[in-house]
Amino acid sequence: MRIAYVMPTRNRPERIARTLDALASLGPHDAEVIFVDNASDQRPLVPSELSSGLPVKLIERDRNEGAAARNVGAHATDPSCDWVVMLDDDSHPRDLGLFDAL
């Protein structure tokens, strides 16, 4: 099973960094991470891949779309994903039990 984590964000680079660290700490698993930036004042620094091997995408919007930016992220997911998990930029799964639950 493959999942995509989709998160909108705006002006929270420190929070994004912590969330990415937390997702990497889960270890390798079949997922991708998509951040949709809602016109932040400065572009967030997002790697193209986490230390665990998870690919990361950053989609930049030219205006603040709020939570609706999740729709943009959902459309950008890899078609092979079975599930799209909508998160906030300050949330993440605590462990890989999410796969068992799905």
Side-chain angles (χ1 to χ4, degrees):
M1 174 180 8
R2 183 165 166 75
I3 65 173
Y5 302 113
V6 174
M7 292 166 264
T9 189
R10 185 168 198 281
N11 291 330
R12 292 173 44 127
E14 300 86 16
R15 188 62 249 173
I16 291 171
R18 287 193 297 269
T19 299
L20 289 170
D21 287 345
L23 289 170
S25 74
L26 295 174
H29 59 288
D30 201 5
E32 67 177 345
V33 181
I34 300 175
F35 277 100
V36 182
D37 182 63
N38 277 317
S40 290
D41 296 329
Q42 288 186 289
R43 180 183 178 168
L45 298 175
V46 175
S48 60
E49 186 175 282
L50 299 182
S51 60
S52 62
L54 289 173
V56 180
K57 293 181 195 173
L58 174 66
I59 301 170
E60 294 181 282
R61 305 301 286 169
D62 58 3
R63 62 188 173 94
N64 185 354
E65 298 168 323
R70 286 185 174 95
N71 295 322
V72 173
H75 285 290
T77 60
D78 185 313
S80 70
C81 288
D82 300 301
W83 291 90
V84 177
V85 177
M86 303 292 188
L87 300 171
D88 291 323
D89 60 4
D90 60 355
S91 63
H92 57 84
R94 288 197 260 167
D95 57 44
L96 295 179
L98 170 68
F99 281 83
D100 294 334
L102 293 174

